mmCIF file of all heavy atoms in Angstrom:
data_model
loop_
_atom_site.group_PDB
_atom_site.id
_atom_site.type_symbol
_atom_site.label_atom_id
_atom_site.label_comp_id
_atom_site.label_asym_id
_atom_site.label_seq_id
_atom_site.Cartn_x
_atom_site.Cartn_y
_atom_site.Cartn_z
ATOM 1 N N SER A 167 30.771 -40.568 84.410
ATOM 2 C CA SER A 167 30.786 -41.590 83.282
ATOM 3 C C SER A 167 31.945 -41.272 82.437
ATOM 4 O O SER A 167 32.394 -40.146 82.277
ATOM 5 C CB SER A 167 29.514 -41.433 82.517
ATOM 6 O OG SER A 167 29.373 -40.119 81.881
ATOM 7 N N ALA A 168 32.489 -42.392 81.754
ATOM 8 C CA ALA A 168 33.671 -42.294 80.926
ATOM 9 C C ALA A 168 33.305 -41.566 79.598
ATOM 10 O O ALA A 168 32.245 -41.786 79.037
ATOM 11 C CB ALA A 168 34.176 -43.673 80.595
ATOM 12 N N ARG A 169 34.208 -40.670 79.158
ATOM 13 C CA ARG A 169 33.963 -39.930 77.987
ATOM 14 C C ARG A 169 34.697 -40.636 76.779
ATOM 15 O O ARG A 169 35.838 -41.053 76.961
ATOM 16 C CB ARG A 169 34.489 -38.508 78.119
ATOM 17 C CG ARG A 169 33.730 -37.769 79.232
ATOM 18 C CD ARG A 169 34.329 -36.293 79.363
ATOM 19 N NE ARG A 169 34.039 -35.574 78.151
ATOM 20 C CZ ARG A 169 34.525 -34.387 77.887
ATOM 21 N NH1 ARG A 169 35.225 -33.774 78.877
ATOM 22 N NH2 ARG A 169 34.303 -33.765 76.728
ATOM 23 N N ALA A 170 34.032 -40.656 75.638
ATOM 24 C CA ALA A 170 34.634 -41.257 74.450
ATOM 25 C C ALA A 170 35.724 -40.402 73.890
ATOM 26 O O ALA A 170 35.612 -39.153 73.967
ATOM 27 C CB ALA A 170 33.506 -41.514 73.355
ATOM 28 N N ALA A 171 36.756 -41.042 73.455
ATOM 29 C CA ALA A 171 37.916 -40.279 72.892
ATOM 30 C C ALA A 171 37.454 -39.608 71.650
ATOM 31 O O ALA A 171 36.649 -40.142 70.907
ATOM 32 C CB ALA A 171 39.066 -41.245 72.653
ATOM 33 N N PRO A 172 37.941 -38.357 71.372
ATOM 34 C CA PRO A 172 37.546 -37.688 70.091
ATOM 35 C C PRO A 172 37.994 -38.466 68.864
ATOM 36 O O PRO A 172 39.087 -39.037 68.913
ATOM 37 C CB PRO A 172 38.250 -36.319 70.263
ATOM 38 C CG PRO A 172 39.390 -36.523 71.196
ATOM 39 C CD PRO A 172 38.914 -37.630 72.143
ATOM 40 N N ALA A 173 37.192 -38.431 67.865
ATOM 41 C CA ALA A 173 37.550 -39.125 66.670
ATOM 42 C C ALA A 173 38.383 -38.162 65.738
ATOM 43 O O ALA A 173 37.805 -37.122 65.359
ATOM 44 C CB ALA A 173 36.302 -39.630 65.921
ATOM 45 N N TRP A 174 39.616 -38.520 65.508
ATOM 46 C CA TRP A 174 40.466 -37.637 64.700
ATOM 47 C C TRP A 174 40.285 -38.062 63.228
ATOM 48 O O TRP A 174 40.114 -39.201 62.849
ATOM 49 C CB TRP A 174 41.969 -37.832 65.095
ATOM 50 C CG TRP A 174 42.197 -37.416 66.474
ATOM 51 C CD1 TRP A 174 42.340 -38.241 67.561
ATOM 52 C CD2 TRP A 174 42.286 -36.068 66.937
ATOM 53 N NE1 TRP A 174 42.575 -37.497 68.689
ATOM 54 C CE2 TRP A 174 42.599 -36.183 68.357
ATOM 55 C CE3 TRP A 174 42.236 -34.838 66.360
ATOM 56 C CZ2 TRP A 174 42.712 -35.030 69.141
ATOM 57 C CZ3 TRP A 174 42.444 -33.723 67.179
ATOM 58 C CH2 TRP A 174 42.681 -33.837 68.507
ATOM 59 N N PRO A 175 40.304 -37.035 62.401
ATOM 60 C CA PRO A 175 40.142 -37.388 60.909
ATOM 61 C C PRO A 175 41.309 -38.146 60.381
ATOM 62 O O PRO A 175 42.460 -38.052 60.944
ATOM 63 C CB PRO A 175 40.034 -36.035 60.226
ATOM 64 C CG PRO A 175 40.742 -35.062 61.228
ATOM 65 C CD PRO A 175 40.470 -35.582 62.568
ATOM 66 N N GLU A 176 41.055 -38.949 59.319
ATOM 67 C CA GLU A 176 42.169 -39.665 58.678
ATOM 68 C C GLU A 176 43.152 -38.710 58.112
ATOM 69 O O GLU A 176 42.794 -37.654 57.580
ATOM 70 C CB GLU A 176 41.610 -40.588 57.646
ATOM 71 C CG GLU A 176 40.807 -41.721 58.095
ATOM 72 C CD GLU A 176 41.582 -42.765 58.830
ATOM 73 O OE1 GLU A 176 42.777 -42.984 58.461
ATOM 74 O OE2 GLU A 176 41.088 -43.320 59.810
ATOM 75 N N PRO A 177 44.496 -39.049 58.240
ATOM 76 C CA PRO A 177 45.510 -38.141 57.678
ATOM 77 C C PRO A 177 45.371 -38.080 56.129
ATOM 78 O O PRO A 177 45.101 -39.069 55.479
ATOM 79 C CB PRO A 177 46.820 -38.764 58.101
ATOM 80 C CG PRO A 177 46.544 -40.204 58.371
ATOM 81 C CD PRO A 177 45.087 -40.210 58.891
ATOM 82 N N VAL A 178 45.572 -36.891 55.622
ATOM 83 C CA VAL A 178 45.463 -36.679 54.138
ATOM 84 C C VAL A 178 46.919 -36.393 53.627
ATOM 85 O O VAL A 178 47.596 -35.531 54.180
ATOM 86 C CB VAL A 178 44.551 -35.502 53.882
ATOM 87 C CG1 VAL A 178 44.484 -35.257 52.357
ATOM 88 C CG2 VAL A 178 43.164 -35.825 54.424
ATOM 89 N N THR A 179 47.255 -37.137 52.575
ATOM 90 C CA THR A 179 48.542 -36.838 51.942
ATOM 91 C C THR A 179 48.549 -35.503 51.287
ATOM 92 O O THR A 179 47.662 -35.222 50.428
ATOM 93 C CB THR A 179 48.894 -37.931 50.923
ATOM 94 O OG1 THR A 179 48.822 -39.235 51.543
ATOM 95 C CG2 THR A 179 50.223 -37.731 50.246
ATOM 96 N N PRO A 180 49.476 -34.567 51.637
ATOM 97 C CA PRO A 180 49.457 -33.280 51.059
ATOM 98 C C PRO A 180 49.740 -33.349 49.573
ATOM 99 O O PRO A 180 50.564 -34.131 49.118
ATOM 100 C CB PRO A 180 50.594 -32.548 51.791
ATOM 101 C CG PRO A 180 51.513 -33.625 52.307
ATOM 102 C CD PRO A 180 50.603 -34.784 52.566
ATOM 103 N N ARG A 181 49.046 -32.546 48.811
ATOM 104 C CA ARG A 181 49.229 -32.457 47.384
ATOM 105 C C ARG A 181 49.370 -30.960 46.965
ATOM 106 O O ARG A 181 48.703 -30.091 47.487
ATOM 107 C CB ARG A 181 48.045 -33.092 46.592
ATOM 108 C CG ARG A 181 47.907 -34.537 46.786
ATOM 109 C CD ARG A 181 46.656 -35.061 46.099
ATOM 110 N NE ARG A 181 46.666 -34.773 44.644
ATOM 111 C CZ ARG A 181 47.310 -35.505 43.695
ATOM 112 N NH1 ARG A 181 47.887 -36.623 44.118
ATOM 113 N NH2 ARG A 181 47.291 -35.242 42.510
ATOM 114 N N LEU A 182 50.328 -30.763 46.063
ATOM 115 C CA LEU A 182 50.542 -29.422 45.503
ATOM 116 C C LEU A 182 49.392 -29.115 44.484
ATOM 117 O O LEU A 182 49.175 -29.896 43.517
ATOM 118 C CB LEU A 182 51.898 -29.370 44.826
ATOM 119 C CG LEU A 182 52.218 -28.033 44.150
ATOM 120 C CD1 LEU A 182 52.424 -26.976 45.224
ATOM 121 C CD2 LEU A 182 53.524 -28.231 43.368
ATOM 122 N N SER A 183 48.799 -27.978 44.631
ATOM 123 C CA SER A 183 47.737 -27.599 43.721
ATOM 124 C C SER A 183 48.019 -26.157 43.226
ATOM 125 O O SER A 183 48.096 -25.226 43.986
ATOM 126 C CB SER A 183 46.344 -27.651 44.405
ATOM 127 O OG SER A 183 45.371 -27.209 43.564
ATOM 128 N N LEU A 184 48.289 -26.122 41.937
ATOM 129 C CA LEU A 184 48.658 -24.812 41.276
ATOM 130 C C LEU A 184 47.392 -24.420 40.420
ATOM 131 O O LEU A 184 46.815 -25.230 39.745
ATOM 132 C CB LEU A 184 49.888 -24.870 40.499
ATOM 133 C CG LEU A 184 51.173 -25.309 41.324
ATOM 134 C CD1 LEU A 184 52.335 -25.403 40.437
ATOM 135 C CD2 LEU A 184 51.467 -24.284 42.384
ATOM 136 N N SER A 185 47.137 -23.144 40.366
ATOM 137 C CA SER A 185 45.959 -22.651 39.684
ATOM 138 C C SER A 185 45.972 -22.934 38.200
ATOM 139 O O SER A 185 44.953 -23.135 37.585
ATOM 140 C CB SER A 185 45.780 -21.131 39.918
ATOM 141 O OG SER A 185 46.945 -20.472 39.394
ATOM 142 N N TRP A 186 47.127 -23.012 37.599
ATOM 143 C CA TRP A 186 47.213 -23.225 36.164
ATOM 144 C C TRP A 186 47.197 -24.718 35.812
ATOM 145 O O TRP A 186 47.264 -25.076 34.630
ATOM 146 C CB TRP A 186 48.522 -22.557 35.604
ATOM 147 C CG TRP A 186 49.753 -22.829 36.412
ATOM 148 C CD1 TRP A 186 50.289 -22.006 37.290
ATOM 149 C CD2 TRP A 186 50.598 -23.953 36.347
ATOM 150 N NE1 TRP A 186 51.428 -22.554 37.871
ATOM 151 C CE2 TRP A 186 51.616 -23.769 37.266
ATOM 152 C CE3 TRP A 186 50.553 -25.110 35.605
ATOM 153 C CZ2 TRP A 186 52.677 -24.671 37.470
ATOM 154 C CZ3 TRP A 186 51.580 -26.081 35.780
ATOM 155 C CH2 TRP A 186 52.604 -25.802 36.742
ATOM 156 N N MET A 187 47.254 -25.632 36.736
ATOM 157 C CA MET A 187 47.259 -27.057 36.432
ATOM 158 C C MET A 187 45.839 -27.511 36.141
ATOM 159 O O MET A 187 44.887 -27.074 36.787
ATOM 160 C CB MET A 187 47.797 -27.840 37.632
ATOM 161 C CG MET A 187 49.253 -27.675 37.863
ATOM 162 S SD MET A 187 49.903 -28.654 39.193
ATOM 163 C CE MET A 187 49.478 -30.363 38.678
ATOM 164 N N PRO A 188 45.712 -28.345 35.132
ATOM 165 C CA PRO A 188 44.353 -28.858 34.784
ATOM 166 C C PRO A 188 43.730 -29.703 35.884
ATOM 167 O O PRO A 188 44.399 -30.514 36.455
ATOM 168 C CB PRO A 188 44.600 -29.751 33.471
ATOM 169 C CG PRO A 188 46.043 -30.090 33.600
ATOM 170 C CD PRO A 188 46.704 -28.914 34.302
ATOM 171 N N SER A 189 42.492 -29.373 36.279
ATOM 172 C CA SER A 189 41.849 -30.042 37.352
ATOM 173 C C SER A 189 41.247 -31.412 37.033
ATOM 174 O O SER A 189 40.963 -32.173 37.911
ATOM 175 C CB SER A 189 40.782 -29.182 37.985
ATOM 176 O OG SER A 189 39.792 -28.821 36.971
ATOM 177 N N GLY A 190 41.130 -31.687 35.788
ATOM 178 C CA GLY A 190 40.452 -32.919 35.346
ATOM 179 C C GLY A 190 41.358 -34.113 35.210
ATOM 180 O O GLY A 190 40.894 -35.175 34.912
ATOM 181 N N ARG A 191 42.586 -33.957 35.483
ATOM 182 C CA ARG A 191 43.553 -35.085 35.274
ATOM 183 C C ARG A 191 43.336 -36.106 36.345
ATOM 184 O O ARG A 191 43.326 -35.815 37.518
ATOM 185 C CB ARG A 191 45.029 -34.595 35.300
ATOM 186 C CG ARG A 191 46.003 -35.725 35.158
ATOM 187 C CD ARG A 191 47.448 -35.188 34.993
ATOM 188 N NE ARG A 191 47.573 -34.453 33.790
ATOM 189 C CZ ARG A 191 47.787 -34.992 32.633
ATOM 190 N NH1 ARG A 191 47.788 -36.260 32.502
ATOM 191 N NH2 ARG A 191 47.868 -34.215 31.566
ATOM 192 N N SER A 192 43.193 -37.348 35.972
ATOM 193 C CA SER A 192 42.894 -38.387 36.902
ATOM 194 C C SER A 192 44.197 -38.825 37.629
ATOM 195 O O SER A 192 45.211 -39.045 36.978
ATOM 196 C CB SER A 192 42.263 -39.643 36.222
ATOM 197 O OG SER A 192 43.219 -40.123 35.168
ATOM 198 N N PRO A 193 44.161 -38.889 38.982
ATOM 199 C CA PRO A 193 45.357 -39.309 39.697
ATOM 200 C C PRO A 193 45.652 -40.816 39.475
ATOM 201 O O PRO A 193 44.777 -41.577 39.042
ATOM 202 C CB PRO A 193 45.058 -39.081 41.105
ATOM 203 C CG PRO A 193 43.477 -39.056 41.180
ATOM 204 C CD PRO A 193 43.016 -38.648 39.847
ATOM 205 N N LEU A 194 46.838 -41.228 39.779
ATOM 206 C CA LEU A 194 47.167 -42.623 39.668
ATOM 207 C C LEU A 194 46.396 -43.392 40.760
ATOM 208 O O LEU A 194 46.232 -42.919 41.880
ATOM 209 C CB LEU A 194 48.676 -42.829 39.902
ATOM 210 C CG LEU A 194 49.552 -42.412 38.730
ATOM 211 C CD1 LEU A 194 50.966 -42.493 39.127
ATOM 212 C CD2 LEU A 194 49.293 -43.226 37.495
ATOM 213 N N PRO A 195 45.961 -44.583 40.484
ATOM 214 C CA PRO A 195 45.280 -45.430 41.421
ATOM 215 C C PRO A 195 46.258 -45.752 42.580
ATOM 216 O O PRO A 195 47.517 -45.722 42.424
ATOM 217 C CB PRO A 195 44.870 -46.657 40.592
ATOM 218 C CG PRO A 195 44.931 -46.285 39.235
ATOM 219 C CD PRO A 195 46.077 -45.247 39.128
ATOM 220 N N PRO A 196 45.781 -46.100 43.742
ATOM 221 C CA PRO A 196 46.635 -46.479 44.867
ATOM 222 C C PRO A 196 47.498 -47.639 44.496
ATOM 223 O O PRO A 196 47.085 -48.639 43.810
ATOM 224 C CB PRO A 196 45.584 -46.846 45.957
ATOM 225 C CG PRO A 196 44.318 -46.127 45.633
ATOM 226 C CD PRO A 196 44.277 -46.070 44.076
#
Side-chain angles (χ1 to χ4, degrees):
S167 59
R169 297 180 61 184
W174 298 101
E176 291 291 326
V178 177
T179 303
R181 292 178 59 87
L182 175 68
S183 179
L184 301 176
S185 60
W186 47 262
M187 289 180 62
S189 57
R191 179 172 295 279
S192 58
L194 286 173

